[in-house]
């Protein structure tokens, strides 16, 4: 007779934690204007990164505790050597039902086939413009050709769905939203429009634009209707074409926050477990992992940490509160 599984992770606000965003590196080959500052060098040293064995152990415990969705993030996760090997180890762990990846796609054409074979099911790809000069200005690199090659490789490898994440910035790329929507709908991608968040100085200077007016504009242009079924377990609210052949998501952490249904935590590459993107509550797991803690002790620490998960962020009320940049937290 199999032993009963431990009870799931439920916080003090009765939210069940079912989604882990796992950063495998804080480094990136781009310097997007809302994320990593130009000239930034304060990255974690590799000896502080969790090893693949440590990552596998933590994810196995999360799987036992009912966390079935895991997303590999960064920085840029494809900069971590042998990422497909790690993905293969995680995808077969008990309880892990969905393994996905967030990437800027600059390296994706070389890795798409191996990642798909390893069990990565879904991709989120950052792309803020279809104009080469705008992409260069926002990302700090002439990266659009590499991203397009990555998109082609992802489709050829069989990934579905492929979601394109576009951070909407007033006066930067807000005039390109309809063109991006048309591109995604034509190619079979899901467009997700995201409000810029005030993470560090870069995020606070990201030309925030609320998405309510943008949504109304796209509803009128494409005849979108609300989509009833959830997609991916994340924070996006989706609208679809009337025939169901395409959809667009809206992620609104500032104008319409989704904290009441937050089901996720973030594990940074240095082993810090962040309970909220916009607050400082956290658990340092690396000292426990390297100090000989048993699985029972680690599970107890995870349960104690979940009790610290705050009710909501305060991006609107205290936009200067969070000093760390997104790449340190994990996307």
């Amino acid at each position: 007779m199999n032993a009963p599984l431990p009870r799931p992770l439920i916080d003090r606000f009765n939210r069940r934690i079912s989604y882990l965003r796992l950063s495998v590196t804080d480094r990136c080959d781009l310097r997007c204007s809302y994320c990593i500052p130009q000239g930034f060098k304060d990255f974690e040293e590799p000896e502080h990164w969790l090893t693949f064995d440590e990552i596998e152990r933590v994810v196995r415990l999360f799987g036992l505790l009912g966390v079935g969705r895991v997303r590999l993030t960064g920085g840029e996760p494809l900069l971590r050597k042998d990422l497909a090997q790690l993905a293969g180890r995680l995808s077969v762990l008990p309880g892990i039902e969905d393994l996905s990846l967030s990437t800027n796609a600059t390296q994706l054409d070389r890795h798409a086939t191996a990642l798909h074979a390893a069990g990565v099911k879904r991709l989120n790809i950052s792309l803020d413009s279809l104009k080469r000069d705008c992409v260069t200005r926002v990302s700090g690199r002439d990266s659009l050709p590499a991203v397009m090659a990555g998109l082609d490789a992802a489709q050829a490898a069989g990934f579905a769905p492929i979601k394109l994440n576009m951070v909407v910035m007033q006066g930067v790329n807000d005039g390109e939203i309809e063109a991006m929507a048309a591109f995604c709908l034509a190619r079979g991608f899901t467009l997700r429009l995201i409000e810029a968040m005030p993470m560090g100085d870069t995020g606070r200077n990201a030309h925030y634009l609320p998405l309510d007016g943008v949504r109304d504009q796209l509803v009128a242009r494409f005849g979108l209707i609300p989509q009833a079924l959830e997609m991916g377990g994340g924070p996006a609210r989706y609208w679809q074409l009337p025939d169901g052949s395409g959809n667009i998501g809206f992620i609104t952490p500032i104008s319409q926050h989704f904290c009441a249904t937050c089901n996720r935590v973030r594990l940074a590459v240095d082993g810090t477990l962040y309970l909220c993107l916009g607050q400082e509550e956290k658990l340092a797991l690396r000292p426990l992992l390297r100090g000989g803690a048993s699985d029972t002790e680690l599970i107890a620490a995870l349960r104690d940490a979940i009790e610290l998960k705050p009710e909501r962020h305060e991006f609107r009320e205290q936009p200067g509160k969070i000093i760390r940049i997104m790449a340190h937290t994990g996307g």
Side-chain angles (χ1 to χ4, degrees):
M1 183 175 180
N2 293 331
L5 291 176
R7 70 184 188 279
L9 295 172
I10 299 176
D11 73 6
R12 56 203 166 113
F13 304 104
N14 204 34
R15 297 172 298 196
R16 179 168 176 172
I17 308 306
S18 58
Y19 185 3
L20 173 67
R21 298 182 67 98
L22 169 64
S23 176
V24 296
T25 180
D26 58 348
R27 305 188 183 203
C28 189
D29 55 345
L30 302 181
R31 291 294 180 270
C32 293
S33 58
Y34 49 80
C35 186
I36 302 178
Q38 290 289 342
F40 181 83
K41 299 184 185 303
D42 190 23
F43 296 108
E44 283 293 339
E45 295 299 323
E47 59 265 28
H48 295 163
W49 296 356
L50 293 188
T51 66
F52 283 7
D53 287 345
E54 290 168 337
I55 290 172
E56 181 179 354
R57 184 184 181 195
V58 173
V59 173
R60 178 175 58 83
L61 295 179
F62 269 113
L64 291 175
L65 294 169
V67 177
R69 296 180 184 271
V70 176
R71 175 172 295 279
L72 302 173
T73 72
E76 171 44 51
L78 295 181
L79 296 183
R80 182 77 183 255
K81 186 180 178 182
D82 297 325
L83 184 66
Q85 180 188 113
L86 174 65
R89 293 170 65 170
L90 301 183
S91 66
V92 297
L93 290 175
I96 304 305
E97 301 169 349
D98 180 80
L99 181 65
S100 57
L101 172 76
S102 290
T103 175
N104 63 30
T106 59
Q107 316 283 326
L108 187 57
D109 62 330
R110 297 187 292 113
H111 298 286
T113 299
L115 288 166
H116 191 267
V120 177
K121 295 182 178 179
R122 299 182 294 109
L123 295 177
N124 284 9
I125 294 173
S126 298
L127 183 59
D128 296 320
S129 174
L130 296 173
K131 295 181 178 179
R132 194 166 179 174
D133 61 339
C134 184
V135 170
T136 301
R137 187 167 66 253
V138 171
S139 71
R141 175 182 155 194
D142 182 14
S143 55
L144 184 59
V147 174
M148 289 300 183
L151 286 172
D152 291 340
Q155 284 193 308
F159 283 102
I162 297 172
K163 299 176 182 179
L164 266 60
N165 290 347
M166 179 182 186
V167 177
V168 178
M169 293 166 281
Q170 189 169 31
V172 177
N173 63 354
D174 52 326
E176 302 179 48
I177 296 171
E178 284 195 14
M180 182 69 83
F183 169 77
C184 289
L185 293 172
R187 286 285 301 267
F189 303 135
T190 294
L191 174 62
R192 305 202 316 167
L193 300 169
I194 304 173
E195 291 177 344
M197 289 175 280
M199 295 284 293
D201 290 339
T202 46
R204 284 188 284 278
N205 295 324
H207 308 280
Y208 163 73
L209 179 70
L211 290 182
D212 48 354
V214 173
R215 183 190 60 243
D216 295 343
Q217 171 189 344
L218 293 179
V219 167
R221 168 66 176 81
F222 296 101
L224 302 175
I225 59 176
Q227 181 170 310
L229 296 178
E230 174 188 6
M231 282 185 59
R237 298 176 174 96
Y238 287 94
W239 292 63
Q240 67 180 25
L241 293 173
D243 63 1
S245 62
N247 49 35
I248 298 175
F250 301 85
I251 300 179
T252 55
I254 311 300
S255 64
Q256 293 177 300
H257 71 78
F258 33 81
C259 301
T261 58
C262 182
N263 61 349
R264 66 203 66 90
V265 292
R266 288 171 165 80
L267 183 62
V269 67
D270 67 351
T272 302
L273 185 71
Y274 289 100
L275 285 309
C276 175
L277 188 61
Q279 300 284 9
E280 293 291 358
E281 285 81 359
K282 59 190 176 184
L283 166 68
L285 275 173
R286 191 180 73 225
L288 298 176
L289 290 165
R290 298 184 182 178
S294 68
D295 285 358
T296 299
E297 290 169 329
L298 287 173
I299 287 175
L302 292 176
R303 292 197 186 282
D304 288 343
I306 295 304
E307 286 300 306
L308 300 176
K309 186 172 173 64
E311 184 174 13
R312 62 186 300 271
H313 64 67
E314 296 174 305
F315 283 140
R316 184 184 288 276
E317 297 86 349
Q318 300 187 63
K321 182 174 183 176
I322 300 301
I323 298 174
R324 67 180 186 272
I325 62 173
M326 181 71 80
H328 269 174
T329 307

